[in-house]
Amino acid sequence: MQEFKDWKEFINQVLINSGQFVNPTSDIKNITETETFKSNDKNSLTEIRVGYFIEENKLIYIHIFNPTVPGYNKYVYGEYFYQHDFSDDGKTYGNPALEFNERNRNGILSILKNGLKGKEVQFVKNNKILKSKLYIAESHQNFSYSYDFTKRGFLKKIFGQKIDRMDGIEKREIELNTIFNGIKKRVTTKN
């Protein structure tokens, strides 16, 4: 069993040892560091961006990005972890970011092993995505997030023709697990 000193070492070990991602690029701004992991698969556009509070050894976010799912990208942008995200004591939210402890490491490892769930339904015209509906809530399969990628003004969006009813609209469905279906190599963790 391997011991880890911090989130950065843990995340690097999990992603790089999986053989699915290469060494990350890193960017430091003030007290945060962002690492970007690119896929080892030359045909994949998926990358994983990880944000850390350096001084406090806390994990801010793990964002999985792929340009083929702009709705999902918009959804995760600005999403971050809260102190009690993996808590089993009934508490919710708390302060931003996750402490480096076994419960939180197991939660993050579960996310990375299981990959993405849900789907994005895109409404496309002339090979341009005009609208996207994102379905990610397993317990409420009719619940969705909608994103309008047109440059229409607010009133046109409200009172104008609905994108999904326009002539020439093609509907595409992308299962999010095709973007990232999880880490497949077993990773042993202990601290």
Side-chain angles (χ1 to χ4, degrees):
M1 293 272 192
Q2 182 168 358
E3 293 188 26
F4 300 98
K5 66 179 180 181
D6 59 20
W7 277 115
K8 185 175 176 178
E9 185 180 56
F10 174 76
I11 298 291
N12 274 262
Q13 190 79 18
V14 169
L15 293 177
I16 293 168
N17 279 2
S18 74
Q20 293 171 243
F21 293 90
V22 296
N23 287 332
T25 58
S26 182
D27 182 35
I28 297 176
K29 289 183 184 172
N30 298 322
I31 61 168
T32 62
E33 179 176 5
T34 302
E35 288 189 308
T36 303
F37 296 84
K38 297 199 183 268
S39 175
N40 233 354
D41 179 354
K42 301 293 184 224
N43 296 321
S44 175
L45 300 173
T46 298
E47 63 184 37
I48 297 178
R49 299 174 191 167
V50 183
Y52 312 97
F53 277 136
I54 301 167
E55 294 173 2
E56 296 181 33
N57 188 22
K58 291 185 178 179
L59 182 65
I60 305 168
Y61 61 82
I62 294 179
H63 293 161
I64 299 167
F65 281 92
N66 187 300
T68 61
V69 286
Y72 183 76
N73 293 344
K74 203 163 187 129
Y75 169 76
V76 298
Y77 186 78
E79 287 287 311
Y80 53 90
F81 294 115
Y82 288 98
Q83 176 183 2
H84 300 293
D85 278 353
F86 300 110
S87 178
D88 54 3
D89 58 9
K91 293 181 182 176
T92 58
Y93 296 104
N95 294 324
L98 292 173
E99 293 178 5
F100 187 66
N101 59 42
E102 185 176 1
R103 181 189 70 230
N104 290 337
R105 282 192 308 275
N106 288 336
I108 293 302
L109 189 57
S110 175
I111 289 171
L112 293 173
K113 287 170 85 176
N114 293 324
L116 299 178
K117 296 188 179 356
K119 68 180 174 181
E120 181 168 324
V121 178
Q122 301 171 343
F123 299 90
V124 182
K125 186 170 185 173
N126 299 327
N127 215 23
K128 185 175 178 188
I129 300 170
L130 302 180
K131 178 181 175 181
S132 178
K133 285 183 113 176
L134 184 63
Y135 298 88
I136 57 172
E138 292 179 20
S139 58
H140 303 286
Q141 295 191 357
N142 290 329
F143 180 76
S144 67
Y145 297 91
S146 286
Y147 301 98
D148 187 324
F149 297 108
T150 65
K151 298 197 185 321
R152 302 181 304 161
F154 177 73
L155 291 176
K156 281 216 180 215
K157 287 180 182 179
I158 300 294
F159 298 112
Q161 186 178 18
K162 302 294 180 204
I163 291 173
D164 36 346
R165 294 189 186 129
M166 290 178 173
D167 288 337
I169 290 292
E170 174 192 346
K171 186 176 169 182
R172 290 186 200 156
E173 287 190 19
I174 298 175
E175 294 293 329
L176 295 176
N177 68 2
T178 63
I179 301 306
F180 179 65
N181 65 355
I183 300 298
K184 299 305 168 208
K185 185 175 180 183
R186 180 167 164 69
V187 179
T188 307
T189 62
K190 183 183 177 189
N191 197 11

